[in-house]
Amino acid sequence: MTAMLITDIGELTTNVGVPGDPCGTMTDAAVLVEGARIAWVGTAAEARRFLHPSASDAPEIGGAPLEVVDAGGRAVVPGFVDSHTHLVFGGDRADEFAARMSGTPYAAGGIRRTVAATRAASDDELRRRLAGFVAELHAQGTTTFEIKTGYGLTVHDEARLARLASEVTSEVTFLGAHVVPAEYAEARDEYVELVCGAMLERCAPHSRWIDVFCERGAFTPDESRRVLAAGIAHGLLPRVHGNQLGPGDGVQIAVALGAASVDHCTYLDEADVAALAGSDTVATLLPGVEFSTRQPYPDARRLIDAGVTVALASDCNPGSSFTSSMPLMIALAVREMRMTPAEAVWAATAGGARALRRDDVGAIAPRMRADLVLLDAPTRVHLAYRPGVPLVDAVWKDGVRL
Ligand code: NIG
Ligand code: FE
């Protein structure tokens, strides 16, 4: 088994929360990694004993030579957990973005253009593109990511996207209910039946999650309930796209079903906030969408102050948010949504882990996966303070440097 000690960490964000500091911040810290897992976390002074293993209290390092990484006083944070992406697709919608920047509003219907391009793309084209996105995510410090289907919308194409996504992540979400495809425009009920029947049947073996875009222009509350119930009956766990473009029932549906997360949460009323606060459902905020569509940002402060668990994710997709950068999400959350830097970093790591119901990622503590990001900065605040600057210096996933 390999062993690695990262020491002289100026600021370590453990996310092992203490009252007043959910980030569980340590200074002058060190982390010992054995194989794929974190073995020990402590101070750099205490870590000296691993360098001189004759000391009586030295733990076993399995006989492996210890690789020592000197962080030089810089900050280490957990690998980012991006709990919401749509990374398997063909085509490009830069023209739509440009038109939007000149005043055309964003509408859910643009999804159909990507559907056409995705259906026309071969497995190998999609796989190549996906590999590029995965490299992009890793380079920016994301070590766990979810991927949704939703740009196929036929039994064959949705199953293809779910299978391709499952080649790069265990967090695959079946989103056959992304939008009603053009060929079913006059027969939406038949389409919902297809999603709940043959399509689900073929996608469930590759998926962990079931999702629905519950929104005017996409699926109604009743249709959304049907889709989620069918997914749950197939052993999938629910999550919901809701309250993105206007008020709606997405949040209430998600909470009633015990969904892991309801994503977007831009248009909420008091009852929505209260329902989230009294539940285990995470509110996942996707500020890349508001940035790229010039919509109002969700009210993160209202949610956090009400006691709602908030996650940040990129929603990387070719329509509403074509960025895979979690550091950008942190910067937007701080600068546009009045989250503190600590809240934003927590939401992009531990919050994402909660939104995916994962207890092995999103924190730096013994037995957690060794998913770590060394920043070229003295503190995590720099992620928001220096927007757009590539501060990710080194990334380890499962103890392996990427
Ligand atoms: O999360 N809301 C639905 N799906 C995406 C948009 C996808 C697209 O426009 O292609 C989203 O914003
Ligand atoms: Fe989305």
Side-chain angles (χ1 to χ4, degrees), residues 84 86 148 175 178 241 264 286 315 317:
H84 184 145
H86 306 246
K148 298 173 199 301
L175 180 60
H178 199 184
H241 275 75
H264 288 290
L286 311 164
D315 197 7
N317 76 79

Side-chain angles (χ1 to χ4, degrees), residues 227-261:
V227 168
L228 295 169
I232 292 166
H234 265 74
L236 302 185
L237 301 171
R239 49 201 314 108
V240 176
H241 275 75
N243 305 66
Q244 174 186 359
L245 303 172
D249 293 352
V251 164
Q252 297 293 347
I253 290 172
V255 169
L257 287 173
S261 177

